[in-house]
Each structure stands twice: as C-alpha cells, then as structure tokens.
C-alpha cells in the first residue's frame, strides 16, 4: 500500500492509501480513520462507509464530521472509493453510470465486468487488507448514503454473519424499480431479472429469515424522494417479518451532506452499541 496523506484528527489519524485491487484489476484508493485508542495499541471495531453517486472517499471524510464521533466511540472508519478508476477502466458520460457509480455490484456484462467488481472488493478484499495492516478487530458494521445506502443494505442482508448492524441515509432500497438502479443494472448485469434481484435490498429482504439491526434516515425535502428513493417499501416488508428497523423521517432535510452531517453522530452511536 502507498500512503497518500495523513492528518491528525480528533486525537486520531485520518489516512488515505492507494493499492492494487485484485478484485477490480486496477489501483484503488481508500481512507481509514483510526481513533485515538487504536494509536496506542488497542484493537478497535470498524464501521465501513459506502458513499453515493459521483463521490470519492473524500466527500464523506471532509463533509460529514464523522471522525469526532468515531473517536468518541472508539470505532475505526473505513471509506472506500465508489468505483474503480483509471484510463483503462470503462466509463460513461452519465453521472449515474461508470466511474463514480459502481453501485457495489459484481458486473457480469462487458465492458464493465473487467473492472467493476465492487461487491467483492468491499465484502472480501478490503476487510482482509484492513485487518492485516491496521489495529482493528473482526467486529464490523456497515453504513452508506444514497447509492452507498443501497450498497450497505444489500451487502448486510446477504452477509448477516459478517456485520453487526447496518444503517443508511436516503438509500436506494429498490433499484430494480427506479431509474438510477435500472440504468446501472441494465449495463452492469444485463437483462436477467434474477441478477437484478440479487442486488435489490427490497427483494432480498423478502427472502431472508434473519436480519441484523437496521437504521434508515430519510429527508422529506430530498429532491430524489420518492421517485428514486422508496424506503417505505423496504420498511413495510421489515415490519411484516418482525425485523428490528429504526426509521426516521426528517422534515426540511435534503439529499446533501448537510443532512448526513446532522445525524451521523446518531448513526455511529447506533453501530457502537452493537460493535462492543
């Protein structure tokens, strides 16, 4: 791994790294925030954060103010990029497809399949790297915003043994039925509806018999609600199946990091209770 930058932050250390990803067959960048406890040898749990469309690892790191709360609760934050990148990596002029828009799936259609294996990267490759090189234990939770909320929920539903809890801000919970998701799934996964359902959190929730604790926050002044964002569909199924889901609607809040920064402290506290 190549260290790109390191900054002291709330007594801990925020670092960015570059490394070659076997899953994505290109160089990837991720950030990690190590709270003060990790710097003196204590192994801490990890919250993985997945960002939304057009973002890199830096949007959340610089705008959400999450490091303050991670330091308070002794939790490391891991923030991967949202897609593979590079001159040889397929791309598209649309903001909701290609670089910056990996949708946390394993693409099966070309030209995307050669590099866009973000599901394997987040679930398998990156945690191994983190646990080998940093003072963390094997306790993990996962969270995200918008496209990243979609990623966090579908990953958690398919891997309940790997994560202790999951949360999302304004998640795309039903991507196979919304314009953003349909654009991405058609390109990355082809025409097979079974492939689409395997990455659709609402469809996955119908199939599972067990779900880890879930929290979802939705701003009611979000320009993408309720066309792209349909949390009520997901919540209805969770309630029918008796799963624990805390849902909060916020009048006046939009889709931006002003919204995320307003409630990220509550999300990290939510995860901390399950990580210890």
């Amino acid at each position: 791994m190549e260290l790109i930058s390191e900054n002291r932050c709330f007594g801990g250390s925020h670092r960015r790294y570059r490394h070659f990803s076997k899953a994505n067959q290109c160089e990837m960048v991720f950030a990690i925030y190590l709270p003060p406890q990790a710097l003196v040898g204590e192994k801490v749990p990890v919250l993985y954060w997945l960002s939304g469309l057009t973002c890199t690892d830096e949007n959340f790191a610089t705008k959400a103010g999450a490091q303050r709360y991670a330091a308070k609760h002794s939790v490391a934050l891991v923030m991967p990029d949202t897609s593979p990148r590079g001159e040889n990596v397929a791309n598209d002029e649309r903001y909701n497809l290609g670089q910056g828009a990996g949708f946390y799936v394993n693409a099966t259609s070309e030209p995307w399949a050669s590099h866009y294996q973000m599901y394997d990267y987040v679930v398998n490759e990156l945690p191994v790297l983190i646990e080998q090189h940093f003072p963390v234990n094997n306790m993990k939770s996962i969270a995200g915003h918008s496209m990243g909320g979609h990623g966090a929920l579908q990953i958690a539903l398919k891997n309940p043994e790997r994560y202790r809890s999951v949360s999302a801000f304004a998640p795309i919970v039903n991507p196979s039925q919304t314009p953003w998701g349909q654009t991405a799934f058609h390109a990355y996964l082809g025409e097979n509806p079974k492939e689409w359902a395997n990455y659709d959190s609402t469809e996955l929730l119908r199939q599972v018999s067990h779900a880890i604790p879930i929290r979802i926050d939705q701003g009611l002044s979000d320009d993408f609600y309720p066309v792209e964002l349909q949390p009520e569909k997901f919540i209805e199924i969770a309630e029918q199946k008796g799963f624990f889901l805390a849902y909060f609607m916020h009048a006046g809040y939009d889709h931006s990091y002003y919204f995320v920064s307003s409630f990220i402290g509550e999300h990290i506290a939510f995860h901390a209770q399950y990580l210890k």
Side-chain angles (χ1 to χ4, degrees):
M1 293 189 301
E2 174 192 352
L3 178 65
I4 301 171
S5 63
E6 180 176 5
N7 299 93
R8 197 73 170 178
C9 188
F10 294 105
S13 178
H14 185 91
R15 306 173 186 176
R16 300 183 72 224
Y17 289 90
R18 181 182 292 109
H19 74 107
F20 183 81
S21 165
K22 292 182 180 179
N24 291 321
Q25 287 296 297
C26 66
E27 286 196 332
M28 294 291 295
V29 171
F30 72 88
I32 182 169
Y33 175 72
L34 296 170
Q37 299 78 5
L39 301 187
V40 295
E42 180 181 340
K43 289 193 172 185
V44 298
V46 181
L47 175 62
Y48 285 81
W49 173 268
L50 307 183
S51 289
L53 289 167
T54 74
C55 289
T56 69
D57 64 285
E58 293 186 285
N59 297 76
F60 177 74
T62 59
K63 295 180 180 180
Q67 295 92 337
R68 177 192 298 272
Y69 305 104
K72 175 182 177 180
H73 292 285
S74 303
V75 173
L77 301 174
V78 172
M79 296 146 277
D81 201 348
T82 53
S83 77
R85 298 180 192 270
E87 292 183 3
N88 298 321
V89 175
N91 200 11
D92 192 275
E93 293 182 354
R94 289 168 287 185
Y95 74 93
N96 58 335
L97 183 65
Q99 295 184 33
F103 266 84
Y104 306 102
V105 304
N106 284 340
T108 55
S109 298
E110 293 296 350
W112 313 102
S114 300
H115 296 285
Y116 284 74
Q117 304 296 310
M118 286 298 293
Y119 178 88
D120 277 351
Y121 178 71
V122 170
V123 175
N124 298 314
E125 183 176 6
L126 188 57
V128 170
L129 192 70
I130 297 299
E131 291 171 20
Q132 284 179 345
H133 293 279
F134 299 100
V136 301
N137 58 39
N138 62 359
M139 301 282 279
K140 299 185 285 290
S141 289
I142 191 166
H145 172 225
S146 193
M147 178 187 73
H150 140 75
L153 288 170
Q154 58 98 358
I155 285 171
L157 288 170
K158 288 190 281 192
N159 301 276
E161 74 287 351
R162 292 177 181 253
Y163 303 96
R164 305 288 298 187
S165 51
V166 58
S167 72
F169 289 85
I172 308 170
V173 298
N174 202 191
S176 65
Q177 302 299 318
T178 60
W180 277 344
Q182 289 172 345
T183 297
F185 284 7
H186 181 270
Y188 297 146
L189 305 172
E191 300 291 344
N192 188 344
K194 291 184 179 180
E195 289 292 320
W196 291 23
N198 194 40
Y199 293 102
D200 187 305
S201 298
T202 299
E203 295 304 316
L204 289 167
L205 193 65
R206 299 181 196 275
Q207 302 168 21
V208 299
S209 58
H210 167 71
I212 60 177
I214 304 167
R215 172 173 175 146
I216 293 176
D217 286 58
Q218 176 64 57
L220 296 182
S221 293
D222 190 320
D223 289 341
F224 306 111
Y225 173 81
V227 176
E228 299 283 3
L229 313 172
Q230 303 173 359
E232 288 80 11
K233 290 184 177 181
F234 185 88
I235 290 155
E236 181 180 359
I237 297 170
E239 290 177 346
Q240 290 173 357
K241 303 190 77 167
F243 296 151
F244 175 75
L245 190 155
Y247 178 48
F248 299 91
M249 297 176 288
H250 303 279
Y253 284 89
D254 58 21
H255 199 71
S256 71
Y257 270 94
Y258 293 108
F259 171 46
V260 174
S261 64
S262 297
F263 302 101
I264 190 62
E266 294 178 20
H267 277 243
I268 292 177
F270 168 79
H271 291 293
Q273 64 183 318
Y274 298 105
L275 287 168
K276 297 182 180 179

